[in-house]
Amino acid sequence: MSRWLGVAAAQLGPIGRNEPREAVVKRLVRLLREAHERGAELVVFPELALTTFFPRWALARSVADQWFETEMPGPATKPLFEEAALLRVGFFLGYAELTEDGHRYNSAVLVERDGSIVARFRKVHIPGHETEEPWRSFQHLERHYFEPGPDSFGVWEAFGCRVGMMLCNDRRWPESYRVMGLQGVELICCGYNTPIHYAPDPSQDVLAGFHNQLVLQAGAYQNGTWVVAAAKGGIEEGVDSLAQSSIVAPSGQVVAQSLSADDEVIVARCDLDWCSRYKSTLFDFARYRRPELYGLITASSDDPGRSGPSRRDVTP
Ligand code: CDV
């Protein structure tokens, strides 16, 4: 008897700089209802799903605070929690978090079908730069606005399986998947905002979609897990971002993918026991891994000679 779970990636199109939270939440509720009608019990929303992707602008942190949540759920997000509990659909939601003691994180919550919060995740790998770089046609100041998450990649018992979370840039790093894989993850939720133009090396622009598929499919296969990845895509405040939201099976096969760069729901009925076919054969970690030979992976990157050159100081 297999365990089955209906999942959805609820892709968002652009969110305007002045679009009120309440209007965005109405869009999220519409997507949630459609996902429910199409059989989903878990809906994955994008990274920073309540606001425009504000790291594209150089602003004082106090100005950007308008885009941060100080509570979850708060007054604007409560309708989403209520509708989800009514429909008995859970969700993963990315948002900017400002803690009581003044820390700012790029975060996500996982909410169960009864509306209870299972866990919160804070993005581990923060890409981009710390200060304004005027040569860029738009900024990517995530390192100005967000601290790196202090916790690792957890895995939680929820939705009848083992669920993990990651946000955008985390999906490019094999360590993200493997840390969850070592905890027996069966389904990874991921939200992303990926500008197609990559200013430090524009030769990568044409490969944005390929790189997205490459990492999602490899991460799923190498760890025998489902991956549900939702984009905020389309041209937002003049910046074009990758759509291509995807649901990937433990085999590495893409079972559903968005067709537009706008609000769009994709669904899949996931056989959770498909994971064990990979976890107990080719990727039987206990039997085949050689962790005693992998020390370099967890050695500090401050060790001389360990890391390659950084392009941080390279002038365009
Ligand atoms: N939001 C992100 O983390 N975006 C990065 C961009 C900067 C490359 C990403 O990995 O998609």
Side-chain angles (χ1 to χ4, degrees):
M1 261 280 278
S2 276
R3 291 170 300 144
W4 294 91
L5 182 69
V7 301
Q11 176 175 284
L12 285 168
I15 298 177
R17 182 172 179 154
N18 297 318
E19 194 164 334
R21 284 280 204 302
E22 291 70 17
V24 177
V25 169
K26 278 190 183 140
R27 287 167 63 183
L28 301 182
V29 167
R30 263 200 302 275
L31 292 167
L32 187 91
R33 285 187 185 137
E34 181 185 336
H36 167 68
E37 278 162 21
R38 294 171 59 190
E41 286 180 72
L42 168 60
V43 180
V44 176
F45 291 111
E47 174 193 45
L48 298 176
L50 298 168
T51 64
T52 198
F53 191 73
F54 56 87
R56 73 170 64 89
W57 296 298
L59 301 166
R61 288 192 187 97
S62 56
V63 175
D65 280 353
Q66 62 177 300
W67 292 303
F68 282 73
E69 310 302 311
T70 53
E71 46 180 343
M72 187 55 68
T77 42
K78 219 161 167 244
L80 176 66
F81 279 72
E82 287 171 351
E83 184 69 13
L86 193 75
L87 298 175
R88 297 206 59 79
V89 178
F91 61 90
F92 162 98
L93 176 73
Y95 65 102
E97 178 193 10
L98 174 56
T99 67
E100 257 176 43
D101 52 351
H103 294 283
R104 292 173 178 80
Y105 299 109
N106 189 339
S107 300
V109 275
L110 180 66
V111 178
E112 252 291 6
R113 291 158 285 195
D114 61 359
S116 63
I117 292 180
V118 177
R120 185 196 50 228
F121 168 76
R122 291 166 172 161
K123 185 172 178 177
V124 170
H125 301 96
I126 307 291
H129 45 111
E130 288 81 3
T131 54
E132 186 172 11
E133 296 185 356
W135 58 268
R136 292 175 183 252
S137 53
F138 57 89
Q139 305 294 300
H140 198 104
L141 281 159
E142 278 197 67
R143 295 176 74 84
H144 166 65
Y145 293 113
F146 301 118
E147 290 172 49
D151 310 314
S152 183
F153 296 94
V155 169
W156 294 269
E157 288 286 350
F159 299 92
C161 64
R162 296 186 64 74
V163 185
M165 297 185 262
M166 61 185 180
L167 283 165
C168 198
N169 192 258
D170 291 327
R171 77 193 190 285
R172 301 188 190 275
W173 300 87
E175 293 86 352
S176 311
Y177 303 85
R178 183 48 53 94
V179 168
M180 290 186 264
L182 287 168
Q183 298 168 78
V185 74
E186 296 176 306
L187 191 151
I188 298 176
C189 306
C190 177
Y192 60 94
N193 282 264
T194 295
I196 290 171
H197 175 53
Y198 184 63
D201 177 17
S203 74
Q204 296 180 30
D205 296 2
V206 73
L207 300 171
F210 166 63
H211 288 157
N212 184 50
Q213 291 310 131
L214 184 68
V215 293
L216 295 176
Q217 293 184 248
Y221 166 64
Q222 291 170 341
N223 294 279
T225 181
W226 287 90
V227 177
V228 184
K232 170 128 72 61
I235 303 174
E236 185 181 88
E237 299 292 351
V239 176
D240 197 4
S241 288
L242 185 71
Q244 217 178 62
S245 300
S246 301
I247 301 176
V248 185
S251 59
Q253 292 165 289
V254 176
V255 298
Q257 189 166 78
S258 62
L259 299 173
S260 75
D262 217 324
D263 291 10
E264 181 181 340
V265 173
I266 57 170
V267 293
R269 194 166 167 264
C270 302
D271 176 358
L272 298 166
D273 289 327
W274 196 349
C275 302
S276 67
R277 299 226 295 269
Y278 287 85
K279 289 181 193 294
S280 64
T281 59
L282 258 173
F283 297 116
D284 180 342
F285 289 165
R287 184 171 188 189
Y288 296 122
R289 281 180 76 248
R290 301 288 312 282
E292 70 278 15
L293 303 182
Y294 305 156
L296 268 179
I297 288 174
T298 51
S300 161
S301 48
D302 297 338
D303 292 354
R306 263 219 65 233
S307 52
S310 162
R311 290 190 60 118
R312 208 179 346 182
D313 304 321
V314 175
T315 22

